[in-house]
Each structure stands twice: as structure tokens, then as C-alpha cells.
Amino acid sequence: MYFSGDRLRSVRERRGYDSKVVAENIGVTPSGYSKYENGISFPSESVLGKMALFLNVSTDYLMGFDDNDILSKAERNNLITSNLNDVTNVPILSYVRAGESCYSSEDIEGYFPVPRSEINGYECFFLRVRGDSMKNARIEDGDYVFVRKQSDVESGDIAIVFTDFDESTIKRVIKKGEKIILRPENPNYKEKEYDSVRVAGKVLWAKIDL
């Protein structure tokens, strides 16, 4: 089997991912993933398929057989079918709501396959980012964030939160005494202080396209 570690590194960097994020999502250790990029070892057919799904790239491109890196719809469907036991479909939301349910069926735009190891029994969803207030955290306008539903986060985590009038926003949550500071990652925006906010979920990572 031929495999191009240079192409893997190139497409990962173009997608804006840290190598640890890719490793977690394809079910290998960071050191094992590093060996793929450095040409020390080759991924199995199963791992190659997971790479292609997560990075949205064709397997032929990663194997050096084709210069076109676009993952076709047909190949995506084939990869999903062959990895049914290892992946689960996560909803892509157009909107999140205040309250226990967080979203309804009307808010679901579609689904995207994610390794079951990444879900780990939690309820998760994707949400499209609107605005550039988090761009220095490599979360751009139009990106999709992968969110684990939970009602609280640690200070310093990036989260989807509800503020006044049940408006949702994505910000870094800073806990300072009895106050909550929502901090943007863009100097053009100011941080804001609140007595309390409602957390919809913790942002685990961002994906450029789905």
C-alpha cells in the first residue's frame, strides 16, 4: 500500500486542524498519527477511511493516485457504509434554543458521521458559526463547531452559552469569583461580564466544512 504522509499533513493544515484532533477522531494515538505524516508507518484500510471522512478528502489523494483531493458523494457514502460500526451520525443544527432540549427536529439541517469514540456516550451536535469574534481561536465565520451538550464548563473553555433574552453566542468562558466573563478571541470585540449565563455545551473542535 502506498500512502503519502506529506499529502496528509498538507490537507490537515489546509483544514486548520491540530494533529491531536485528527488522531482523536480517527481513533489512534498522537504518536501513531505522527508516524503516518512522517512516513514511518502506513494506516490500515479502516483508519484510511476514517481519515478521508474526517478531513473530507479522497482516499486516492491520500494514497498519491489522484491530484484531486475532493471526496465525492459516492465515496463518502461508501466510506460511511463500511464504517457503520465505528461511526454515528451527529445532527447539524441551524439554531440552538434555550432550555433542556436545546434543539428540535426543525433545527436539524442534516447529519455528519463522527467516530463513536469521539461521542463517548454524550449527546453532541454541530452548529454553524455566525460572525468572526472567535477567529483567533481558529473558529471562523461559516465554520461548524462540534459541541458536547453539557450544562457547565471549566473556566477557559469555549462554549455555546445563552445570555440575556435567550440569545446564544460562542465565547471563551472565564469564571471570576461570582461573575462570568464571556471573552471573544478577536481584538475588535470586547469581553462582557454577566452575573450568570446558561451553558448549552462545550465546543470540542471546529470543522471548516461538512
Side-chain angles (χ1 to χ4, degrees):
M1 173 183 178
Y2 179 77
F3 179 79
S4 174
D6 289 338
R7 287 192 169 195
L8 174 61
R9 180 183 292 107
S10 175
V11 75
R12 172 181 63 77
E13 291 176 347
R14 292 202 306 274
R15 300 292 192 261
Y17 293 126
D18 183 271
S19 60
K20 290 183 179 179
V21 172
V22 181
E24 289 172 359
N25 279 274
I26 64 174
V28 301
T29 63
S31 61
Y33 177 81
S34 177
K35 291 179 180 179
Y36 299 149
E37 286 199 353
N38 292 316
I40 298 173
S41 64
F42 296 153
S44 66
E45 184 177 351
S46 174
V47 170
L48 178 64
K50 292 174 184 177
M51 283 179 184
L53 277 174
F54 183 71
L55 294 171
N56 197 31
V57 63
S58 72
T59 53
D60 279 352
Y61 177 81
L62 292 176
M63 295 171 69
F65 298 149
D66 193 340
D67 290 334
N68 181 7
D69 68 354
I70 301 300
L71 179 62
S72 69
K73 189 172 183 179
E75 184 179 5
R76 172 178 289 281
N77 290 338
N78 287 337
L79 288 171
I80 291 172
T81 300
S82 63
N83 286 278
L84 280 178
N85 292 330
D86 298 319
V87 301
T88 186
N89 286 323
V90 173
I92 303 168
L93 306 183
S94 58
Y95 184 77
V96 288
R97 303 171 184 271
E100 184 66 26
S101 62
C102 193
Y103 63 90
S104 68
S105 59
E106 290 83 5
D107 303 319
I108 299 176
E109 294 182 345
Y111 293 86
F112 189 81
V114 172
R116 292 185 186 277
S117 59
E118 183 69 10
I119 301 297
N120 199 26
Y122 289 94
E123 183 178 353
C124 299
F125 58 87
F126 285 99
L127 181 67
R128 191 179 190 115
V129 176
R130 294 179 174 86
D132 62 353
S133 67
M134 297 299 290
K135 71 175 188 177
N136 288 350
R138 300 174 77 176
I139 301 175
E140 302 280 357
D141 182 30
D143 285 356
Y144 290 88
V145 287
F146 180 60
V147 182
R148 182 173 65 205
K149 185 180 176 184
Q150 55 190 71
S151 60
D152 195 14
V153 291
E154 298 292 328
S155 182
D157 286 344
I158 296 175
I160 306 296
V161 298
F162 290 97
T163 58
D164 302 331
F165 308 110
D166 288 337
E167 292 184 353
S168 64
T169 184
I170 173 173
K171 293 291 185 291
R172 192 175 299 280
V173 177
I174 305 297
K175 297 181 178 181
K176 190 175 181 180
E178 298 297 319
K179 300 291 185 179
I180 300 292
I181 297 170
L182 298 185
R183 179 171 296 166
E185 294 289 344
N186 183 336
N188 294 326
Y189 296 82
K190 294 181 179 180
E191 64 183 32
K192 295 182 179 181
E193 186 177 278
Y194 296 86
D195 291 328
S196 65
V197 297
R198 282 172 289 173
V199 175
K202 177 181 176 179
V203 173
L204 301 182
W205 39 268
K207 192 170 182 64
I208 297 172
D209 51 45
L210 296 179

